[in-house]
């Protein structure tokens, strides 16, 4: 989920490339680079800001009119000059920029190295430049087509070669790419904002299509070499709308990105037949001989920790605890070299989480980080890292990073079970593969309904309650935090069975209650708790999974999520609750992406 730009046209390429990259800065990045053909390939890179890249041209700008550029947000390999794009082949004639993940890059790299190719970075991308070099026989487009036939994964690619000074090759598979149409010039970009200063007319590439872009024309082919007519769009968004891909806020965009984010999280880790591939990330000695697991986190990530603890407890005999980092740091805990501490943090920079793992490490624990940010402090200090691969999350309230954390924890629980017991629940992994499509169908089916409910009921409430039992409790806790964070409505999550021990006194006519019912073995108990609520005229919005049950006596509104493995239900129920918080906040007129008194990354105690 980095940023791509490409240019071929009448003017020197550097300025339009830098201009395009600047428009993608909002997405977040750790390094940037461009390559220009003039007539040799010139590559400029920096581990830093676009301004640092621009500074490389103070002494003069190359005159080439063909080039590609990239802002990198690290996924494979630390943020560094070497890992920044573009990446070249051995002869330094071909340059490639890439968004997405090449799942089979390790195999390809081994093959290419055995054939004599020399790699200079740790990235998955570099295999593409060497593959294009390998297949090049005078036609760059054909070489790219042959190279992509070897790739498994998602990608948007832009490729140039010094042998073709008027040709930009672009291709996409599950990662967006648009071609802006100008007067004798074309600008290629992964995101619409990079086009807007040039043109409002663009061609959208479809999956598997390869575009051969020259100053004079664009020719698009499909996988079989058949020429295609590209789909033309007219862009009506203003620059601010374009950054959010037309969504009103980054939070809403990120909620909608979850199907794609989870596909990325699963990529390369779970094969189509449900086979797990985690040995590279989680070496066997990390798990060998462990007796205790401490899952440590703050905020939303702590709710993911609760989820992970539930899964590990359910599937192993380990002693498992979810711990709030700010508490863990200062309490007496039993931790030693048989403890695996799993730190979960979107940013990898949260001060309390770092403090807690330093304490665990000092006592001999092994540290596994689950984070979204490659090269973050947490990733650097941990013994092993599992990246969530959710892409940059810009809204302060965490949405896609949270579900990606749940996804990692699901994979991890199966992997730990396999390591300790020699087997895991294949059904859980099989169902995990279905989650992205199920998320997409929930978003499509429930948004309008949830918007109405949140705008009318939650936005007007002063107190709300979120109820669940078992794994649904962890989800309820995340649901109530979202509402507090951005809608500033008081919310409290409770184990449904605890209501009768006091809180029931607060249930009055019309008090909104969001209840979760996805755990079959607890469903009857939950429904009887809800009857107590209904007896006091509380107003229940139920998110349930079993479509066969009659909820008429227990809920005012029922939203069904598609059936999945009960352990995976939190990945689905999160979505309507995120939308509830979002629409309650917008109904109250709040700045959703920047809520009051809350920072994206809390680097103080
Ligand atoms: C802040 C953010 C939350 C986040 C928490 C932990 O409170 O506003 O959205 O869940 O920090 O952040 P981390 O980066 O460690 O996941």
């Amino acid at each position: 989920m980095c940023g791509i730009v490409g240019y071929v046209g009448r003017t020197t390429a550097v300025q339009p490339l830098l201009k395009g990259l600047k428009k993608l800065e909002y997405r977040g990045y750790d390094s940037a680079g461009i390559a220009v053909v003039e007539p040799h390939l010139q590559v400029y890179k920096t581990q830093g800001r676009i301004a640092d890249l621009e500074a490389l041209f103070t002494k003069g700008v190359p005159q080439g009119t063909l080039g590609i550029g990239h802002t990198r947000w690290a996924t494979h390999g630390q943020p560094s000059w070497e890992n920044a794009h573009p990446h070249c082949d051995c002869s330094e004639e071909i340059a490639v920029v890439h968004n997405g993940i090449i799942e089979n890059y390790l195999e390809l790299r081994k093959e290419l190295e055995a054939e004599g190719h020399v790699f200079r970075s740790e990235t998955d991308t570099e295999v593409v430049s060497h593959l294009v070099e390998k297949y090049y026989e005078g036609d760059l487009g054909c070489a790219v087509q042959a190279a992509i036939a070897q790739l498994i994964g998602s990608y948007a690619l832009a490729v140039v070669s010094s042998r073709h000074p008027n040709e930009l090759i672009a291709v996409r598979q599950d990662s967006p790419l648009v071609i802006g149409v100008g007067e004798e010039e074309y600008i290629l970009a992964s995101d619409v904002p990079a086009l807007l200063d040039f043109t409002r007319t663009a061609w959208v590439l479809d999956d598997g299509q390869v575009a051969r872009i020259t100053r004079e024309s664009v020719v698009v082919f499909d996988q079989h070499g058949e020429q295609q007519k590209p789909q033309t769009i007219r862009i009506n968004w203003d620059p601010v709308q374009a950054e959010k891909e037309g969504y009103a806020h980054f939070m809403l965009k990120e909620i909608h990105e979850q199907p794609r984010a989870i596909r990325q999280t699963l990529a390369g880790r779970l094969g189509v037949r449900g086979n797990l591939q985690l040995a590279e990330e989680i070496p066997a000695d990390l798990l060998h001989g462990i007796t205790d697991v401490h899952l440590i986190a703050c905020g939303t990530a702590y709710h993911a920790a609760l989820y992970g603890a539930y899964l590990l407890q359910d599937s192993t005999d380990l002693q498992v605890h979810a711990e709030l980092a700010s508490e863990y740091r200062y309490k007496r805990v039993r931790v030693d070299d048989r403890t695996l501490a799993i730190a979960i943090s979107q940013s990898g920079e949260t001060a309390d989480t770092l403090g807690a793992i330093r304490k665990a490490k000092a006592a001999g624990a092994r540290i596994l980080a689950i984070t979204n940010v490659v090269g973050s402090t947490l990733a650097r200090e941990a013994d092993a890292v599992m990246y969530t691969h959710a892409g940059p999350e810009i809204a302060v309230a965490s949405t896609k990073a949270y579900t990606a954390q749940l996804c990692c924890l699901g994979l991890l629980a199966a992997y730990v079970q396999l390591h300790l017991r020699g087997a895991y629940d294949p059904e859980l992994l099989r169902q995990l593969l279905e989650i992205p499509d199920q998320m997409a169908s929930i978003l499509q089916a429930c948004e309008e309904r949830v918007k109405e409910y949140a705008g009318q009921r939650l936005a007007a409430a002063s107190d709300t309650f979120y109820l669940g039992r078992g794994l649904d409790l962890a989800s309820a806790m995340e649901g109530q935090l979202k509402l507090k964070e951005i809608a500033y409505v008081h919310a409290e999550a409770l184990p449904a069975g605890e209501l009768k021990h006091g809180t029931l006194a607060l249930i009055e006519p019309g008090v909104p209650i969001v209840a979760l019912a996805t755990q079959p073995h607890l469903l009857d108990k939950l429904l009887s708790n809800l009857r107590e609520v209904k007896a006091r005229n509380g107003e229940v919005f139920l998110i349930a999974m079993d479509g066969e049950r009659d909820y008429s006596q227990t809920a005012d509104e029922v939203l069904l999520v598609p059936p999945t493995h009960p352990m995976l239900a939190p990945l689905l129920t999160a979505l309507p609750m995120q939308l509830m918080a979002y629409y309650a906040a917008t109904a109250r007129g709040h700045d959703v992406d920047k809520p009051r008194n809350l920072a994206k990354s809390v680097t103080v105690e």
Side-chain angles (χ1 to χ4, degrees):
M1 308 217 185
C2 313
I4 285 182
V5 292
Y7 177 85
V8 57
R10 297 166 286 140
T11 65
T12 53
V14 170
Q15 288 90 350
L17 291 175
L18 286 172
K19 217 168 169 184
L21 289 178
K22 279 187 196 160
K23 297 286 178 194
L24 301 183
E25 281 195 291
Y26 73 94
R27 297 165 50 84
Y29 63 104
D30 50 60
S31 48
I34 63 177
V36 179
V37 174
E38 80 116 21
H40 296 298
L41 195 63
Q42 310 279 340
V43 177
Y44 304 84
K45 303 203 272 193
T46 178
Q47 186 195 336
R49 316 305 300 164
I50 305 295
D52 302 320
L53 189 63
E54 209 166 12
L56 301 177
F57 300 103
T58 44
K59 291 207 183 91
V61 171
Q63 294 304 300
T65 56
L66 167 68
I68 51 179
H70 192 261
T71 46
R72 177 172 189 252
W73 199 76
T75 55
H76 291 81
Q78 303 289 319
S80 68
W81 188 93
E82 289 77 14
N83 290 336
H85 300 213
H87 290 289
C88 295
D89 65 327
C90 300
S91 63
E92 302 200 356
E93 289 181 346
I94 295 162
V96 173
V97 291
H98 164 225
N99 281 3
I101 295 180
I102 312 288
E103 294 177 31
N104 57 336
Y105 84 103
L106 279 175
E107 285 154 61
L108 292 170
R109 183 173 175 141
K110 273 186 207 138
E111 278 169 35
L112 288 159
E113 280 176 334
E115 290 166 14
H117 290 265
V118 179
F119 281 73
R120 302 180 193 89
S121 76
E122 302 162 281
T123 63
D124 52 340
T125 305
E126 199 182 338
V127 297
V128 182
S129 26
H130 293 281
L131 281 173
V132 176
E133 177 181 33
K134 173 175 167 175
Y135 293 115
Y136 181 75
E137 287 176 352
D139 185 319
L140 188 61
C142 289
V144 170
Q145 210 148 20
I148 60 168
Q150 305 296 312
L151 305 180
I152 300 174
S154 64
Y155 46 82
L157 295 165
V159 184
V160 292
S161 162
S162 54
R163 294 186 188 222
H164 299 267
N166 180 31
E167 192 172 62
L168 169 62
I169 306 292
V171 55
R172 67 158 277 179
Q173 181 65 48
D174 296 326
S175 193
L177 212 47
V178 283
I179 304 166
V181 183
E183 294 257 325
E184 281 178 61
E185 62 177 357
Y186 292 96
I187 180 128
L188 176 77
S190 52
D191 300 86
V192 168
L195 303 182
L196 295 184
D197 281 352
F198 296 86
T199 180
R200 296 284 166 149
T201 306
W203 290 343
V204 181
L205 283 185
D206 283 336
D207 281 344
Q209 288 184 331
V210 179
R212 203 188 276 276
I213 310 166
T214 64
R215 197 172 310 147
E216 298 79 26
S217 67
V218 176
V219 183
V220 176
F221 296 92
D222 69 8
Q223 297 97 313
H224 315 291
E226 299 283 329
Q227 202 168 325
Q228 305 276 302
K229 204 172 156 4
Q231 181 200 337
T232 310
I233 53 162
R234 186 83 201 133
I235 304 161
N236 299 320
W237 294 337
D238 65 37
V240 176
Q241 276 179 315
E243 286 187 357
K244 296 169 189 154
E245 287 176 13
Y247 290 105
H249 295 94
F250 282 111
M251 181 179 174
L252 191 58
K253 170 175 173 276
E254 287 159 7
I255 290 173
H256 281 267
E257 273 173 353
Q258 286 175 106
R260 181 144 65 98
I262 298 302
R263 274 189 203 105
Q264 295 267 32
T265 309
L266 293 172
R269 291 169 167 157
L270 189 56
V272 278
R273 286 182 301 279
N275 46 315
L276 265 183
Q277 293 143 7
L278 289 179
E280 295 271 349
E281 297 164 270
I282 305 170
D285 57 6
L286 195 81
L287 304 178
H288 187 71
I290 56 167
T291 54
D292 293 57
V293 178
H294 297 172
L295 293 111
I296 305 167
C298 302
T300 288
Y302 171 67
H303 300 141
L306 290 171
Y307 171 80
Y310 199 95
L311 256 60
L312 283 167
Q313 246 156 16
D314 195 71
S315 58
T316 69
D317 297 321
L318 296 165
Q319 291 284 332
V320 188
H321 302 274
E323 300 274 359
L324 282 163
S326 54
E327 290 295 313
Y328 187 88
R329 291 179 77 172
Y330 301 109
K331 74 175 184 187
R332 194 159 160 234
V333 278
R334 202 191 79 183
V335 47
D336 58 28
D337 60 0
R338 288 163 304 167
T339 308
L340 174 68
I342 303 175
I344 308 168
S345 170
Q346 186 285 129
S347 63
E349 302 295 346
T350 302
D352 280 323
T353 308
L354 293 173
I357 61 141
R358 286 174 189 150
K359 169 179 172 164
K361 198 171 188 170
R366 284 161 260 183
I367 312 293
L368 171 65
I370 296 181
T371 180
N372 203 29
V373 182
V374 177
S376 55
T377 309
L378 177 61
R380 281 186 274 115
E381 293 191 12
D383 298 305
V385 188
M386 215 179 158
Y387 287 111
T388 37
H389 292 322
E393 193 178 65
I394 295 172
V396 167
S398 186
T399 52
K400 62 176 182 170
Y402 167 68
T403 45
Q405 286 162 356
L406 301 188
C407 181
C408 278
L409 288 160
L411 291 169
L412 179 69
Y415 189 69
V416 172
Q417 204 184 359
L418 179 67
H419 186 87
L420 300 180
R421 292 189 171 172
Y424 57 82
D425 180 356
E427 190 53 17
L428 182 117
L429 295 184
R430 208 184 57 73
Q431 298 272 344
L432 194 48
L433 290 167
E434 307 290 323
I435 291 288
D437 287 346
Q438 292 179 324
M439 283 178 154
S441 76
I442 291 175
L443 290 170
Q444 209 177 17
C446 82
E447 188 156 1
E448 280 311 308
R449 236 181 100 193
V450 168
K451 180 177 179 179
E452 198 183 318
Y453 168 74
Q456 289 175 6
R457 298 295 306 117
L458 293 180
S462 49
D463 285 304
T464 57
F465 295 90
Y466 284 66
L467 303 180
R469 297 183 78 122
L471 207 43
D472 282 336
L473 176 61
S475 306
M477 290 176 73
E478 174 55 11
Q480 56 98 38
L481 179 65
K482 283 279 94 65
L483 190 73
K484 289 194 290 207
E485 273 181 311
I486 57 168
Y488 320 147
V489 172
H490 176 252
E492 187 178 339
L494 277 179
E498 272 299 294
L499 258 189
K500 57 185 174 290
H501 296 294
T503 312
L504 207 48
L506 299 177
I507 307 296
E508 293 176 348
V511 168
I513 287 118
V514 177
L516 298 171
T518 68
Q519 303 298 300
H521 66 298
L522 297 168
L523 189 54
D524 289 333
K525 303 274 174 219
L526 180 97
L527 295 180
S528 71
N529 298 141
L530 292 184
R531 266 180 221 110
E532 294 160 16
V533 171
K534 286 306 307 161
R536 282 145 191 94
N537 291 320
E539 197 182 282
V540 176
F541 189 108
L542 183 68
I543 302 175
M545 204 164 71
D546 183 348
E548 304 292 304
R549 291 292 287 249
D550 174 11
Y551 301 110
S552 56
Q553 304 302 308
T554 47
D556 300 85
E557 283 209 48
V558 182
L559 190 150
L560 288 175
V561 294
T564 185
H565 193 295
M567 294 286 174
L568 300 177
L571 280 122
L572 300 181
T573 55
L575 276 56
M577 287 191 289
Q578 293 165 350
L579 288 170
M580 274 178 192
Y582 174 80
Y583 283 113
T586 49
R588 288 167 70 104
H590 298 163
D591 180 353
V592 176
D593 287 335
K594 291 197 180 65
R596 71 184 181 204
N597 303 338
L598 192 63
K600 182 74 185 151
S601 176
V602 182
T603 53
V604 292
E605 262 195 69

